[in-house]
Amino acid sequence: MQAIFITGAASGIGAATARLFARRGWRVGLADINAAGLAAVAADCPHSSVHVMDVRDRDGWVAALDAFTGGAGLHVLFNNAGVPSGGPFEQNEWDAIDRTVAINLGGVINGARIGHAYLARTPGSCLLNTASASAIYGSAGLAVYSATKFAVRALTEALDGEWHRQGIKVRGLVPGFIDTPLLDGAVQGSNRSIRETVTAAGLELTDVEAVAEAAWDAVHGDRVLVYVGPTAKRLAFAARWMPGRLRKRMQRGFAAPD
């Protein structure tokens, strides 16, 4: 039975992906700091195991992967855990900046570096990372979050080159704004949630099940980066063909939130 280990599995993209892979006969390792959320997802996933862990904790990574694999190989490691961060950059609190960088980038680096040993034991294995449409063009109002997701994209592209000869595929999801609990977080310096800010800007929200399907396609496909949702696809087009217009849109469209 093929096996996938998913961080951020208690909700959102991670939970939807876990359920999809489980329905298709995979054994699923569910990892998150949210024990109650993991238990709810595990109830929907036969052949699953729960691993309460923080992606910043390297010893926790080793313990969880050893427990899930029994020291054997791993078909897919899905580096998905992340936290939202937004608002005018100069108003971002230092603690929030440090947490965003440590989880969104540090956690992905930890997963890739530690997970390599398990992936290398399995021919045709795959490291899948969750980036963001904010990794296509630096997003005003999401500066720190955007910076971490650019770094995730860079790591994905770099490891696709490094690990190719080892038979390990490296893939990245590049979703737009996905309808998950992350959007309910507050924008710093504002009384709005991220969800309210996004919808007020006229941007679409993509259903989380579409991202789960994209994760399946990424694992089984050849594209390094898989764009998910209309916002991500439009940004990718604009960044390639209309960078000047996109720059002006960022300058014109960002204002300090209410």
Side-chain angles (χ1 to χ4, degrees):
M1 181 180 290
Q2 292 181 298
I4 180 172
F5 186 87
I6 303 172
T7 64
S11 64
I13 293 171
T17 302
R19 292 183 174 111
L20 183 145
F21 274 74
R23 287 197 304 270
R24 297 179 180 176
W26 286 54
R27 188 166 63 90
V28 182
L30 305 168
D32 205 294
I33 60 172
N34 181 351
L38 288 177
V41 177
D44 297 331
C45 298
H47 308 295
S48 65
S49 59
V50 168
H51 308 272
V52 179
M53 59 168 280
D54 187 325
V55 294
R56 295 170 290 186
D57 179 2
R58 292 170 182 162
D59 291 338
W61 266 106
V62 173
L65 287 173
D66 277 346
F68 180 60
T69 66
L74 178 64
H75 295 92
V76 177
L77 193 161
F78 186 14
N79 259 330
N80 171 67
V83 293
S85 176
F89 176 69
E90 66 277 11
Q91 295 181 23
N92 285 186
E93 299 290 342
W94 283 113
D95 286 348
I97 290 173
D98 291 344
R99 180 171 179 264
T100 301
V101 173
I103 294 174
N104 292 5
L105 176 57
V108 171
I109 290 174
N110 289 343
R113 177 66 178 81
I114 295 166
H116 173 268
Y118 304 84
L119 295 169
R121 298 170 191 150
T122 308
S125 61
C126 180
L127 173 69
L128 178 62
N129 300 320
T130 297
S132 166
S134 292
I136 298 170
Y137 191 93
S139 300
L142 299 170
V144 175
Y145 180 84
S146 185
T148 63
K149 293 302 184 176
F150 260 92
V152 169
R153 173 183 169 179
L155 182 71
T156 300
E157 293 172 344
L159 293 182
D160 172 66
E162 285 192 31
W163 292 359
H164 174 72
R165 292 185 181 180
Q166 300 177 43
I168 302 172
K169 297 187 293 184
V170 184
R171 303 289 183 260
L173 293 180
V174 187
F177 292 102
I178 308 304
D179 195 0
T180 75
L182 283 182
L183 295 184
D184 296 324
V187 174
Q188 293 185 54
S190 169
N191 57 10
R192 284 181 175 180
S193 68
I194 297 172
R195 182 186 303 277
E196 290 167 334
T197 302
V198 167
T199 55
L203 299 173
E204 303 93 344
L205 300 182
T206 297
D207 191 81
V208 71
E209 277 72 27
V211 192
E213 287 286 356
W216 178 270
D217 291 343
V219 166
H220 294 90
D222 293 328
R223 288 183 294 165
V224 177
L225 301 176
V226 177
Y227 297 92
V228 190
T231 296
K233 292 175 183 177
R234 282 205 306 270
L235 275 173
F237 180 87
R240 181 174 183 180
W241 299 107
M242 300 179 293
R245 184 178 298 180
L246 182 55
R247 179 187 179 196
K248 289 179 181 177
R249 173 67 181 86
M250 286 291 175
Q251 294 172 336
R252 182 175 65 251
F254 178 72
D258 297 337

